[in-house]
Amino acid sequence: MRTWLTDAFALDVPVVCAPMAGPGEGPLAAAVSAAGGLGMIGVGAAQTPDWVEEHAATARAAGRSFGIGLMAWVLESRPDLLDAAIAARPALVSVSFGTFEPHVRRVKDAGIAVTTQAGNLDEARRAEQAGVDLVVARGAEAGGHGRADVGTLPLLQTVLEHVQVPVLAAGGIAGPRGLAAVLAAGAAGAWVGTAFLGCPEAATTPDARRALFAATDTATAYGRVFDVGSRVPWPPEFGGRALRNTYLDTWEGRLDELADDEEAVEQLARARATHDYDVAYLYAGQGVGMLREERPAAAVLADFARAAETRHRP
């Protein structure tokens, strides 16, 4: 399968492993890149420049293109993370969730390809005007943080009609049929996270894997409960999609109360430390119901590579 994405980054499969802060570290990025996709490192707010350098070295050792993903709202107080990402010389840098424009210019000036994840048409237009090399149309089905304004297919179609740069689709793409669908619609490839969460190369705990493999197609919910409960200052327009659990059920619709409840904060912190996912958050998209067993990243990529034959099968 040849698309703009495979040609631009010398890939075998038009799939980017989304930069998932936590699960998406150097080993997963290296495994995805070695298998012919574009592996990306997700840089969280608590990481350091040395951490970025270390995990970039791991990804680079695969000998193929890799990328680094950053959060714009974090860079406002942590510009050192962008400095480290640029110094690592990845093939692609993603800067999303907040005022991304000045960071896009810095990456472009460094001669590195840059993208941002857009959750609506206005954001996609802003990204193109800022000079991105490609736009990620990130639909409401996607796991982790982002907007929940528009579903993946309506957003993809709308963005393709209004921007001139290549577009990747994100949200709910969990296998070859999903990849075939977005390629047929005109995307240059897919930006995929949840399908890689069960890989042994991902920094996903054994307890988290069990919860993911047991999840059904209706197991996720979108909102800000876990951000408020963990006191992480995500901009309110970017909620998160995670597996539904008792903590979310308890506090959904009660964010003002949760903001004042320190015992609930401590409960969530304890659960995270002990990997108790009946309380702790586990971010995943609506494609999680297709995640059933641990498979190496290479096997996941090989499955996505079947998209070409899937497009012609009833």
Side-chain angles (χ1 to χ4, degrees):
M1 287 179 289
R2 291 191 60 184
T3 71
W4 176 91
L5 180 69
T6 59
D7 291 347
F9 297 100
L11 310 180
D12 300 323
V13 186
V15 168
V16 177
C17 179
M20 300 175 286
E25 298 183 341
L28 179 60
V32 171
S33 292
L38 181 64
M40 294 196 72
I41 300 163
V43 182
Q47 305 303 352
T48 65
D50 286 346
W51 185 95
V52 174
E53 180 181 356
E54 174 190 348
H55 286 267
T58 299
R60 189 182 301 110
R64 303 190 69 167
S65 298
F66 73 97
I68 296 175
L70 302 156
M71 297 175 287
W73 67 270
V74 171
L75 296 181
E76 292 176 7
S77 60
R78 295 290 310 281
D80 57 322
L81 294 176
L82 182 60
D83 295 338
I86 291 172
R89 305 304 302 175
L92 178 67
V93 168
S94 169
V95 183
S96 307
F97 315 128
T99 305
F100 52 78
E101 286 88 345
H103 310 302
V104 166
R105 287 193 289 273
R106 277 207 59 204
V107 178
K108 290 281 289 185
D109 289 346
I112 299 171
V114 61
T115 188
T116 194
Q117 299 177 58
N120 55 37
L121 178 57
D122 177 67
E123 207 163 39
R125 283 172 161 160
R126 280 176 50 206
E128 184 175 43
Q129 291 166 3
V132 298
D133 296 279
L134 63 149
V135 170
V136 179
R138 184 192 184 283
E141 299 96 321
H145 285 83
R147 298 184 187 274
D149 299 346
V150 190
T152 300
L153 281 178
L155 178 63
L156 174 62
Q157 294 170 83
T158 303
V159 171
L160 285 167
E161 289 289 331
H162 289 91
V163 305
Q164 300 304 310
V165 296
V167 179
L168 304 186
I173 303 164
R177 291 185 183 276
L179 177 58
V182 298
L183 292 177
W191 183 274
V192 177
T194 300
F196 291 103
L197 286 175
C199 296
E201 301 93 341
T204 310
T205 69
D207 289 329
R209 283 191 174 86
R210 283 191 286 272
L212 290 164
F213 298 151
T216 67
D217 57 342
T218 59
T220 68
Y222 176 89
R224 298 184 58 236
V225 165
F226 294 120
D227 293 334
V228 175
S230 59
R231 301 297 192 261
V232 177
W234 271 90
E237 63 268 32
F238 303 115
R241 182 171 295 282
L243 294 190
R244 184 175 286 281
N245 62 15
T246 58
Y247 191 88
L248 190 151
D249 289 341
T250 297
W251 292 106
E252 196 169 30
R254 301 170 57 201
L255 294 184
D256 290 343
E257 294 176 59
L258 179 56
D260 294 327
D261 193 318
E262 292 307 314
E263 172 55 33
V265 174
E266 294 172 8
Q267 179 192 16
L268 184 56
R270 288 194 301 269
R272 291 185 62 201
T274 59
H275 306 150
D276 174 8
Y277 294 106
D278 195 40
V279 176
Y281 50 80
L282 185 52
Y283 289 111
Q286 289 186 332
V288 71
M290 297 178 64
L291 205 59
R292 283 286 168 261
E293 60 184 359
E294 182 174 289
R295 292 191 300 162
V300 175
L301 261 295
D303 196 28
F304 276 110
R306 295 175 42 244
E309 63 185 74
T310 301
R311 292 171 67 177
H312 303 289
R313 191 195 314 163

